[in-house]
Amino acid sequence: MNTAITANGVHVQLGSAHILLGIDFELAAGRTLAIVGSNGSGKSTLVRALVGAIPISAGHIEIFGENLASRRKVDWSRIGYAPQRVTATSGVPATALEAVMGGLVYGNKLRPSRGGKDKALAALDKVGLAHRSDESVQTFSGGQQQRILTARALVRDPDLIFLDEPFAGVDTHSRQAIVDILYEQHELGKTIVLVLHEIHEYLGLVDEALILDAGRVREHTTDVSDLRGSGHHAHPDHDHQHEHADEPPHFRSPHLEGPL
């Protein structure tokens, strides 16, 4: 089986904070991995490092066999990423369509390719929001904005999908819409990496779990059924603090920032 992700001795230091302290794991193509752990364990930092959004200070990462340090060799069209929120370089609010089309700009691409609008509309249709494509994202609820972020991650029809806490602070309808999409992507053989606060609700989707503790891998298990009774984070030190869960993503347009 092909390997989608390889991480060896990955360290991340941001300023004086040493956040990741030697992360090692492999993920085979076609598998769904949940990254779990208490707040401050390094979950989102790891995902941002895996998609090249932040530099690593030691170690190396390979995506589909290509070293992430050689950015030009990585086929970014195969990678989709939904952060917790999208930051801005412009004060003009984005429409849902513009936000999703931002996912078509990556690597050395400066603008979406021909047919980008149709692809973005199709991605919005997947999350049930195509009929509101021309509305400002500021008019959407937090759960609906998360669905827009999910559409942005899927707009390239990627082979590897990263979603950073896709269910944090979302309503039941939006949660189910995202879950249905992820099951569909899993059945299509896509590789999925999810940062999760609560893993027990998604055991039917998740193939394996990477449990982080203070910037280190505490456990990498393929027997996720053992995590059913382990609490929200599959971690005994879970502090039940979700400071960012009530903050919806923020969008601006037309120049959406992104690591890809």
Side-chain angles (χ1 to χ4, degrees):
M1 185 177 292
N2 294 331
T3 300
I5 303 172
T6 301
N8 291 123
V10 172
H11 289 249
V12 170
Q13 184 170 349
L14 300 176
S16 61
H18 204 162
I19 301 173
L20 299 183
L21 300 159
I23 300 293
D24 296 287
F25 78 96
E26 286 191 358
L27 180 64
R31 304 279 287 177
T32 296
L33 173 74
I35 301 177
V36 296
S38 59
N39 286 342
S41 60
K43 304 184 299 295
S44 292
T45 299
L46 176 57
V47 168
R48 293 176 67 201
L50 292 173
V51 299
I54 55 175
I56 64 176
S57 52
H60 78 272
I61 296 169
E62 291 184 0
I63 303 294
F64 295 122
E66 295 291 349
N67 194 323
L68 198 62
S70 302
R71 292 185 64 88
R72 292 184 179 180
K73 293 183 179 180
V74 177
D75 186 354
W76 296 106
S77 68
R78 300 182 66 188
I79 303 169
Y81 169 53
Q84 292 180 27
R85 55 189 54 82
V86 177
T87 56
T89 58
S90 169
V92 181
T95 65
L97 180 64
E98 289 170 335
V100 175
M101 287 184 70
L104 294 169
V105 180
Y106 54 87
N108 294 323
K109 288 176 65 89
L110 300 179
R111 63 185 63 185
S113 57
R114 180 176 297 180
K117 182 177 180 179
D118 290 339
K119 291 178 181 178
L121 284 171
L124 279 170
D125 187 55
K126 280 183 178 292
V127 300
L129 293 174
H131 63 292
R132 298 182 61 187
S133 63
D134 292 330
E135 295 183 33
S136 167
V137 294
Q138 293 181 340
T139 68
F140 291 80
S141 69
Q144 290 168 338
Q145 288 187 3
Q146 190 60 56
R147 284 152 64 187
I148 293 172
L149 280 171
T150 302
R152 189 171 187 261
L154 298 177
V155 70
R156 305 176 196 171
D157 190 23
D159 297 313
L160 174 57
I161 303 163
F162 293 91
L163 301 182
D164 190 354
E165 298 193 22
F167 307 113
V170 305
D171 57 274
T172 300
H173 179 72
S174 292
R175 181 188 302 267
Q176 190 59 54
I178 296 170
V179 167
D180 289 345
I181 288 168
L182 291 176
Y183 270 105
E184 177 186 80
Q185 295 297 308
H186 185 61
E187 291 175 1
L188 290 172
K190 304 301 180 71
T191 309
I192 303 171
V193 177
L194 305 170
V195 173
L196 295 178
H197 270 290
E198 300 176 358
I199 192 172
H200 64 278
E201 297 182 36
Y202 312 106
L203 294 180
L205 172 67
V206 172
D207 296 311
E208 48 196 272
L210 190 73
I211 302 172
L212 300 188
D213 183 8
R216 293 182 171 89
V217 175
R218 178 179 179 179
E219 183 180 2
H220 184 187
T221 179
T222 57
D223 192 0
V224 294
S225 61
D226 284 349
L227 304 178
R228 183 177 297 277
S230 300
H232 287 309
H233 286 191
H235 191 293
D237 296 327
H238 171 43
D239 57 14
H240 296 274
Q241 296 177 6
H242 301 262
E243 299 92 336
H244 54 275
D246 296 326
E247 298 181 24
H250 302 293
F251 297 87
R252 295 292 186 272
S253 179
H255 306 294
L256 296 176
E257 292 180 350
L260 305 180

